[in-house]
Amino acid sequence: MAEAEFESRNSDPEDNKAQNEREKVPSDSEAKMDRESKRDERIHQTGQVSLAEGGESIHLISIIGEIEGHECLGNASKTTKYEHILPSLAAVEDSKEIKGVLVLLNTMGGDVEAGLAIAEMIASLSKPTVSLVMGGSHSIGVPIAVSTDYSFIVPTGTMVIHPVRLTGMVIGVAQSFEYFQLIQKRITGFVSGHSRIEEETLEKLMMKNGVLTKDIGSILVGEEAVKYGIIDEVGGIDKAIAKLYELIKMRDSD
């Protein structure tokens, strides 16, 4: 026993240091796995994640399924909850590490108030923002798609533009019609104010006959959305991320 204690007291400090470094490896690996697990869980719960390249961190937000308003939709529905998106955007604005925001859209639309709230929040960010329409950005998804500094749509991506619809009981009086017009004016004004399309042209697309079987409106696919000036460019995730880093560099150089 005495001999063992003697060897312990007289062991090489460098050996002890190397042993300590080896012991740290599992803990570092576990910490990395824990971070990845939390990131995966965040993606699953909110559809959001932070990406980093060369010290530049960007925040990714996905707008998918139906945009949920003040009432919860069924468990079988894929939804985007505005109570998740709005606080995240406020945190992004306050963060010193996050330099830009990438918004991915594949949405059927949804609640008008919630959609406009998300669009206004994105538009008011001081950091560079880019949107990418993947499958579709229909109805109230259109204002969200144009709320960023620059927008992309994939060649097969679609945008459905139609008048405002209300569910539930509607009183058939002049005031109800005026309320419809007021809501629609808010949407067309926002879209035309954040894109290159004229408000009058947008209203014509909304009221077009013969395109939608059971409704009036228009379907714009890929290049058509660019031609009308709603979206800036046709492109995929590679172009969207490259453009966002370009905007971040331009902002940092100012």
Side-chain angles (χ1 to χ4, degrees):
M1 179 66 70
E3 184 179 351
E5 291 177 354
F6 177 80
E7 289 178 356
S8 176
R9 287 195 300 270
N10 290 275
S11 59
D12 191 345
E14 291 298 324
D15 291 341
N16 290 336
K17 182 179 179 182
Q19 182 178 354
N20 291 336
E21 290 297 327
R22 286 194 298 271
E23 290 175 353
K24 287 181 181 179
V25 173
S27 61
D28 292 343
S29 177
E30 289 173 3
K32 182 179 179 181
M33 290 177 63
D34 184 57
R35 288 195 301 269
E36 291 177 351
S37 176
K38 289 180 179 179
R39 188 174 80 162
D40 292 343
E41 182 179 355
R42 187 181 185 192
I43 294 173
H44 177 72
Q45 294 294 331
T46 66
Q48 301 181 45
V49 67
S50 292
L51 309 173
E53 178 182 306
E56 300 288 359
S57 179
I58 64 175
H59 190 72
L60 185 149
I61 292 178
S62 58
I63 308 295
I64 61 169
E66 187 169 353
I67 299 169
E68 196 174 79
H70 301 303
E71 295 182 3
C72 292
L73 299 174
N75 293 331
S77 301
K78 288 186 178 293
T79 63
T80 294
K81 300 178 183 294
Y82 75 96
E83 66 266 29
H84 289 166
I85 303 296
L86 299 185
S88 294
L89 290 172
V92 165
E93 178 64 25
D94 189 56
S95 173
K96 293 181 180 179
E97 289 76 25
I98 296 175
K99 302 296 184 181
V101 177
L102 176 63
V103 183
L104 301 181
L105 297 107
N106 186 18
T107 175
M108 60 183 288
D111 187 89
V112 171
E113 299 290 344
L116 280 177
I118 293 172
E120 289 282 11
M121 194 80 162
I122 294 172
S124 65
L125 290 174
S126 65
K127 300 179 181 184
T129 55
V130 170
S131 66
L132 172 60
V133 177
M134 299 294 291
S137 185
H138 307 159
S139 189
I140 200 61
V142 176
I144 300 176
V146 305
S147 65
T148 55
D149 297 325
Y150 202 85
S151 57
F152 289 90
I153 186 170
V154 296
T156 58
T158 59
M159 306 188 83
V160 176
I161 301 170
H162 62 74
V164 174
R165 305 186 187 104
L166 289 181
T167 57
M169 185 179 69
V170 178
I171 301 175
V173 295
Q175 289 88 337
S176 294
F177 179 69
E178 290 174 0
Y179 179 62
F180 271 96
Q181 286 185 314
L182 175 62
I183 296 175
Q184 194 157 296
K185 193 71 174 176
R186 290 165 61 195
I187 296 171
T188 57
F190 183 92
V191 173
S192 64
H194 290 82
S195 64
R196 293 175 286 107
I197 190 171
E198 297 290 335
E199 191 169 351
E200 182 180 350
T201 304
L202 183 61
E203 290 175 351
K204 287 181 179 178
L205 289 173
M206 281 184 169
M207 300 301 177
K208 191 173 181 180
N209 292 314
V211 178
L212 302 179
T213 306
K214 297 180 179 180
D215 199 358
I216 57 176
S218 302
I219 301 175
L220 305 180
V221 182
E223 187 63 46
E224 288 182 292
V226 177
K227 182 185 72 173
Y228 278 102
I230 297 177
I231 299 296
D232 292 310
E233 187 178 340
V234 173
I237 189 67
D238 54 342
K239 285 189 175 182
I241 291 181
K243 184 65 178 182
L244 184 55
Y245 281 123
E246 177 187 328
L247 295 176
I248 290 171
K249 289 180 181 179
M250 289 174 59
R251 183 178 183 272
D252 291 342
S253 63
D254 290 341

